[in-house]
């Protein structure tokens, strides 16, 4: 393994064939040092990780070993069998594969190289797929899901027999999800078919490159990591925080106050890319920008829920430099070429230093020019977070999340896929699976339980032997018992489980259930549409829409009016702020000497807090208590993100309830948590009933957590994902969504039955593992509780403190959480009682 | 915001269907105190194994869960007559597949009371090898019990088959629950089985079955039944 830039001696070992030398020379270019270095190492038989910023010629570097190898390969003689795939390129996005096909086409054509390059994605027509199997291209550009399908085919051996390189683009983003787990298992399989294959990983800067170097090679105790080549970051980006004359709000996520400033910035630049965190923020910002767009600048909107045709039009306009600004969510995060962007505006909290760096990296494709970026915090705490992110960026700090242990539902899917491809031997498959990085620590008994799950459902009650999907034959090999099993597998492959969604379709007003309607604007989540009432107005696709009703899998809308917009509730839960930034914010709070870097109104806010209450030390947890109205409040400031805070809120109210403090509710933000009760919490903490150290004791993560988890709707949702990925329930396809609801078994019902009868079932185990890392952020909560042990600062107050205002403003904004379903029913029933008198109970 | 449940006057579950007093139990069973009659519908026993036969390896515990629920409601009301209103088994071979332990358990529940199996579309040949009497439909005290609701308005008809559920939206959140569906003249039972899905009462399938202006959905809560008027119901 090598960390430094390498001496020329090494570089010169790369053999660049003549046509390449000529091609570079004709264009007045010369190959960059890292491109040659990667080539040299690949030619020496090594696997390599290339970490480079956007614009460093990463793609060409990744493909140079392939192109040079194929350029000198002998021609296939007539009558000789077709060769298999030489290079497999895997990217997280279909669009990226298409983009690369275009970019590779040019050098290949200009040098006249005998190399065929093709894509294979979900959009590839059936006849082309079949032809690719018969006459494989030299280079195949594809996605992780397609790879899973290719290795589950019975001709995988032949298809991959000549495979030499596997290139992983945007590796940093591929590896952090279940998709990455499936991909790692796919790579292990490819290696089994072709032990000599070499990997090339292309990645943005990450916190721990060793993890990716390890990911790229088989997991043997003494195997060398993949070589590392790092291209340092070019010019430092020029980032500022918007210093608005306007008042920065206490709470909220809209950043409406800054729209005039943002519009001015757009006018002053050629092309501006505006990033926001959620779809609803994108819709709102877009709407607000057009409200002030006096010059009618071409400003467009782009997010993943829009109709695909609409998205492609925006992308083309962007690539053709026809737009002055584009408002986008993370759909544009990855490395697609976006024309001539000279400014990135990030609205809302950046949530992570690496995330911010990657987004800003979009703005400039010439790495020697600094990128320009403006951060627009939506509220006062976000000002602190932006400041912390800016400082992290200045020192090049990285906070990409660590890789997670391989998920068991993904493993189940993979095992079934292996059986679909060819009969497998359990011992040998176990070793193969352990050679994949996420599964390196998998133990044999868990593996066997997953195999058992794939075969018969893995139930203690052994009644399904005769219905087994895979069976062990006399030769000891496991085979699919029935061709239908393979068919089911192919329909359900992949790890991306979509929330049920409805098409948004135009109809004439008031004709909700009747007319067939017009154009489809995109998709919204079912749960969102279900909470709307006919006549409600909401923002979507840059338009104000009036909800008309739901019919089958369509959400009917008509043109709405600006007078009564309701904005979709903020789904801020997607990305909690990183631990690194959280620490940055705490450190900034605790050090008044650094406040002069903040806008005056924010530093004034902190100084007032210092006067009226206290500011927590960097490692401390501040807990304030105060009365307000007829209730008693407690606000604490862990800065661990909304998900962890929500979990904490649930657990604290349970404990307070047990202690008799009569808690009534709680509300969480990314930065703080507020709990309110009928009893005086300040008095209780002082008289140790309970004490704060008891209340925040780590043991809450034991029984209390289990008890709550079991009831939680969030866990049910996660279970559904695991059950779909593991192949217990089938994916829903368009059209079949609403049919026969009474015939299908919903995941909730399965969950309830399984929990009651087999709480240790492998799928429940997988679900709990997801909960710990995902929606509930239990792991992070645990780290926080252990960090603050003995460091809780209690500040009893007469009234609300300045720091507490943001979370207090959230009270009442949010709808009630899922546990209270029966309360809602009771309320609805009471409405009838009030309206019609108690007699109406009987019909 | 997460406020704890406020305590409110609660609905006892007492209703009147075609002049007969009945109790809607939150388990999904309907009890006629004057007749000593307990009605359950759409048990769909052995649905798990039925799906497993076709390659979907659902947990094999649905029969156990359904029988447990049945046992508990029988203990509460101690009915003289039990009527299972069709689709008692998920398929025609369900009764034959019933594991021995569950058969024993079921027969113990049947002991000492009259048990009537009504035929359903999933189990047209009612389980002949189990005790109890088997009928296509049956009339008791002016009430007509059959599996599939008839298309024409029939006062006093108690049916199942459709697996009714209802949905409300309150404070921006949607709640969907199984329900008894009734306009006072006829009633459709919720499905009782552990793996049974449900169909919204606003679906086309219910069209013409009820006098909508008098319609109530008795939605099943965790501990009680909630009467919800048609004006508050949402499709989907």
């Amino acid at each position: 393994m090598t960390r430094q830039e390498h001496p020329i001696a090494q570089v010169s070992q790369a053999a660049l064939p003549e046509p390449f030398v000529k091609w570079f020379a004709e264009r007045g270019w010369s190959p960059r040092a890292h491109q040659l270095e990667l080539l040299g190492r690949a030619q020496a038989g090594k696997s390599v990780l290339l970490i480079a910023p956007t614009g460093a010629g990463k793609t060409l570097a990744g493909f140079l070993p392939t192109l040079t190898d194929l350029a000198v390969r002998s021609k296939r003689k007539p009558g000789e069998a077709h060769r298999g795939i030489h290079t497999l390129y895997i990217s997280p996005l279909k669009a990226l594969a298409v983009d690369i096909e275009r970019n590779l086409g040019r050098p290949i054509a200009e040098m006249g190289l005998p190399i065929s390059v093709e894509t294979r994605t979900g959009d590839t027509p059936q006849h082309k797929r079949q032809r690719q199997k018969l006459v494989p291209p030299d280079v195949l550009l594809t996605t992780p899901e397609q790879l899973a399908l290719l290795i589950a085919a019975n001709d995988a051996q032949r298809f991959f027999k000549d495979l030499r390189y596997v290139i992983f683009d945007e590796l940093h983003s591929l590896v952090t999800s279940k998709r990455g787990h499936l991909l790692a298992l796919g790579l292990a399989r490819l290696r089994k078919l072709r032990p000599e294959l070499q990997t090339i990983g292309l990645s943005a800067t990450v916190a721990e490159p060793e993890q990716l170097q390890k990911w790229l090679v088989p997991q043997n105790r003494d195997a060398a990591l993949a070589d590392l080549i790092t291209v340092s970051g070019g010019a430092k980006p020029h980032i500022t925080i918007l210093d608005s004359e306007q008042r920065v709000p206490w709470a909220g996520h809209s950043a409406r106050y800054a729209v005039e400033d943002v519009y001015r910035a757009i006018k002053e630049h050629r092309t501006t890319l505006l990033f926001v965190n959620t779809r609803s923020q994108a819709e709102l910002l877009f709407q607000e920008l057009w409200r002030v767009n006096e010059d009618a600048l071409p400003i467009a909107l782009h997010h993943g829920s829009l109709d695909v045709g609409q998205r492609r039009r925006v992308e083309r306009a962007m690539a053709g430099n026809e737009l002055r600004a584009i408002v986008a969510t993370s759909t544009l995060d990855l490395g697609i070429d976006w024309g001539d962007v000279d400014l990135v505006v990030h609205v809302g909290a950046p949530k992570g230093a690496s995330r911010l760096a990657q987004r800003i990296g979009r703005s400039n494709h010439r790495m020697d020019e600094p990128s320009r970026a403006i951060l627009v915090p939506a509220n006062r705490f976000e000002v602190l977070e932006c400041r912390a992110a800016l400082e992290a960026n200045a020192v090049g700090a990285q906070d990409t999340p660590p890789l997670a242990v391989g998920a068991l539902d993904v493993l189940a899917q993979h095992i079934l896929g292996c059986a679909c491809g060819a009969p497998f031997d359990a011992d040998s498959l176990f070793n193969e699976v352990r050679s994949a990085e996420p599964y390196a620590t998998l133990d044999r008994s868990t593996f066997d339980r997953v195999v058992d799950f794939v075969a018969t459902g893995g139930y203690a009650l052994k009644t399904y032997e005769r219905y087994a999907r895979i069976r062990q034959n006399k030769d000891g090999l496991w085979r699919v018992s029935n061709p239908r099993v393979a068919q089911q597998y192919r329909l359900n492959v992949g790890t991306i489980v979509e929330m049920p969604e409805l098409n948004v379709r135009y109809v004439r007003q008031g004709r909700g259930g009747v007319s067939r309607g017009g154009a489809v604007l995109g998709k919204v989540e079912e749960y969102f549409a279900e909470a709307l009432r006919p006549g409600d107005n909401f923002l979507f696709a840059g338009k104000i829409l009036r909800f008309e009703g739901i019919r089958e899998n369509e959400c009917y809308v008509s043109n709405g009016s600006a007078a009564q917009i309701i904005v979709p509730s903020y789904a801020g839960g997607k990305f909690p702020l990183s631990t690194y930034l959280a620490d940055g914010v705490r450190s900034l709070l605790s050090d008044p000497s650094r406040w002069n870097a903040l806008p005056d109104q924010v530093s004034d806010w902190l100084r007032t807090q210092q006067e009226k209450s206290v500011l927590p030390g960097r490692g401390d947890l501040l807990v304030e208590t105060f009365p307000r109205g007829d209730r008693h409040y407690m606000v604490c400031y862990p800065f661990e993100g909304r998900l962890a805070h929500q979990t904490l809120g649930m657990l604290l109210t349970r404990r307070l309830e047990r202690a008799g403090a009569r808690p009534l509710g709680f509300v969480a933000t990314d930065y703080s948590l507020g709990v309110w009760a009928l009893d005086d919490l300040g008095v209780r903490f002082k008289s140790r009933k309970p004490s704060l150290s008891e209340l925040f004791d780590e043991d809450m993560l034991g029984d209390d957590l289990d008890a709550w988890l079991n009831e939680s709707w969030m866990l049910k949702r996660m279970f559904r994902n695991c059950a779909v990925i593991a192949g217990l329930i089938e994916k829903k396809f368009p059209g079949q969504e609403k049919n026969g609801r009474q015939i299908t078994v919903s995941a909730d019902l399965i969950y309830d039955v399984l929990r009651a009868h087999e709480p240790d079932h492998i799928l429940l185990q997988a679900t709990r593992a997801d909960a710990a890392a995902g929606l509930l952020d239990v792991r992070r909560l645990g780290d926080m509780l252990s960090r603050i042990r003995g460091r809780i600062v209690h500040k009893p107050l007469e009234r609300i403190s300045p720091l507490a205002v943001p979370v207090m403003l959230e009270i009442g904004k949010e709808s009630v959480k899922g546990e209270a379903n029966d309360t809602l029913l009771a309320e609805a029933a009471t409405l009838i009682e009030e309206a019609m008198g108690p007699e109406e109970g009987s019909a | 915001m997460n406020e704890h449940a406020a305590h409110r006057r609660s609905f006892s579950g007492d209703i009147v269907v075609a002049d007969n007093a009945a109790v809607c139990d939150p388990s999904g069973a309907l009890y006629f105190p004057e007749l000593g009659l307990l009605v359950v519908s759409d048990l769909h026993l052995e649905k798990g194994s039925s799906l497993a036969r076709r390659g979907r390896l659902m947990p094999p515990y649905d029969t156990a869960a359904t029988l447990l629920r049945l046992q508990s409601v029988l203990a509460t009301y101690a009915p003289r007559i039990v009527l299972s209103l069709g689709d008692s088994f998920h398929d025609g071979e369900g009764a034959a597949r019933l594991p021995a332990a569950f058969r024993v358990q079921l027969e113990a529940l049947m002991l000492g009371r009259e048990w009537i199996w009504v035929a359903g579309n999933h189990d047209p040949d009612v389980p002949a090898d189990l005790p109890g009497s088997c009928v296509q439909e049956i009339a008791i005290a002016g009430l007509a019990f059959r599996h599939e609701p008839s298309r024409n308005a029939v006062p006093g008809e108690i049916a199942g088959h459709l697996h009714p559920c209802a949905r409300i939206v309150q404070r921006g959140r949607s709640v969907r629950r199984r329900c008894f569906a009734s306009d006072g003249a006829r009633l459709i039972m919720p499905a009782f089985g552990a793996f049974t899905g449900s169909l919204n009462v606003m679906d086309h399938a219910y069209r013409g079955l009820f006098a909508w202006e008098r319609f109530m959905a008795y939605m099943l809560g965790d501990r009680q039944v909630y009467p919800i008027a048609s004006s508050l119901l949402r499709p989907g």
Side-chain angles (χ1 to χ4, degrees), chain A residues 459 533 727 758 817 827, chain B residues 2 56-57 61 171 234:
Chain A
Y459 306 109
R533 272 185 309 250
E758 199 162 339
K817 285 286 165 306
E827 276 184 12
Chain B
N2 303 263
R56 313 249 43 104
L57 302 168
Y61 305 111
R171 288 207 256 157
R234 303 287 184 85

Side-chain angles (χ1 to χ4, degrees), chain B residues 23 39 52 77 103 125 132 136 138 144 161 229:
Chain B
V23 184
V39 188
Y77 296 98
R103 175 177 293 263
D125 307 313
Q136 289 301 315
I138 186 169
H161 182 58

Side-chain angles (χ1 to χ4, degrees), chain A residues 147-211:
Chain A
L147 173 62
L149 287 172
L150 285 170
I151 59 178
N154 52 21
D155 55 2
Q157 183 83 43
R158 186 177 55 80
F159 194 70
F160 291 116
K161 71 179 166 33
D162 295 313
L163 186 65
R164 171 144 191 212
Y165 294 115
V166 186
I167 304 172
F168 299 95
D169 205 350
E170 304 282 339
L171 185 60
H172 61 282
S173 88
L174 274 172
V175 293
T176 51
S177 61
K178 287 191 177 181
R179 232 178 155 199
H181 301 164
L182 186 65
L183 186 56
L185 292 167
L187 174 59
R189 174 105 292 210
L190 287 176
R191 234 184 222 115
K192 175 89 174 180
L193 298 172
R194 190 70 184 149
E196 312 83 347
L197 75 80
Q198 289 165 250
T199 53
I200 296 169
L202 309 176
S203 168
T205 313
V206 292
E208 293 180 61
E210 293 83 1
Q211 290 188 327

